[in-house]
């Protein structure tokens, strides 16, 4: 395992998620996608956690930089 991966896992902290889910719309290479989950912004990164039945994924579904050219966060709204 490279040092960068090791640093991520050694700095990982368990967190609680709010009950209210969000409808998250993003693009990957200009293809629009949507998931239900939670968005977290930390420093220069955006983490998307996907809702899976009764649970929100323990690990992030995907993360990307706010300056990413491949990924763009479009909208975040409350899910019904």
């Amino acid at each position: 395992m490279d040092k960068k991966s090791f640093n991520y896992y050694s700095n990982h902290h368990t967190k609680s998620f709010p009950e209210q889910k969000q409808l998250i719309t993003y693009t990957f290479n200009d293809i629009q996608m949507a998931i239900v989950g939670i968005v977290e912004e930390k420093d220069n990164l955006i983490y998307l956690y996907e809702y899976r039945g009764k649970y929100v994924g323990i690990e992030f579904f995907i993360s990307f930089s706010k300056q990413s050219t491949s990924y763009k966060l479009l909208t975040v709204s409350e899910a019904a």
Side-chain angles (χ1 to χ4, degrees), residues 18 20 26 28-30 37 39 53 60 63 66-67 74 78-79:
Q20 181 58 47
Y26 66 98
F28 173 66
N29 289 335
D30 297 322
V39 172
F60 57 85
S63 70
K66 292 180 181 179
Q67 286 78 37
L74 298 179
E78 286 189 24

Side-chain angles (χ1 to χ4, degrees), residues 61-77:
F61 172 64
I62 195 165
S63 70
F64 51 92
S65 164
K66 292 180 181 179
Q67 286 78 37
S68 173
T69 56
S70 300
Y71 287 94
K72 298 287 182 207
L73 183 63
L74 298 179
T75 61
V76 179
S77 58

Side-chain angles (χ1 to χ4, degrees), residues 16-79:
S16 298
F17 291 98
E19 290 295 319
Q20 181 58 47
K21 311 311 183 279
Q22 300 169 319
L23 177 59
I24 305 160
T25 307
Y26 66 98
T27 61
F28 173 66
N29 289 335
D30 297 322
I31 298 170
Q32 187 170 315
M33 301 176 209
I35 63 169
V36 173
I38 302 294
V39 172
E40 178 183 45
E41 293 186 40
K42 190 173 184 182
D43 299 324
N44 189 39
L45 295 175
I46 297 172
Y47 297 88
L48 305 182
Y49 296 84
E50 186 176 26
Y51 177 68
R52 298 177 182 162
K54 293 170 53 175
Y55 305 100
V56 171
I58 294 186
E59 192 58 65
F60 57 85
F61 172 64
I62 195 165
S63 70
F64 51 92
S65 164
K66 292 180 181 179
Q67 286 78 37
S68 173
T69 56
S70 300
Y71 287 94
K72 298 287 182 207
L73 183 63
L74 298 179
T75 61
V76 179
S77 58
E78 286 189 24

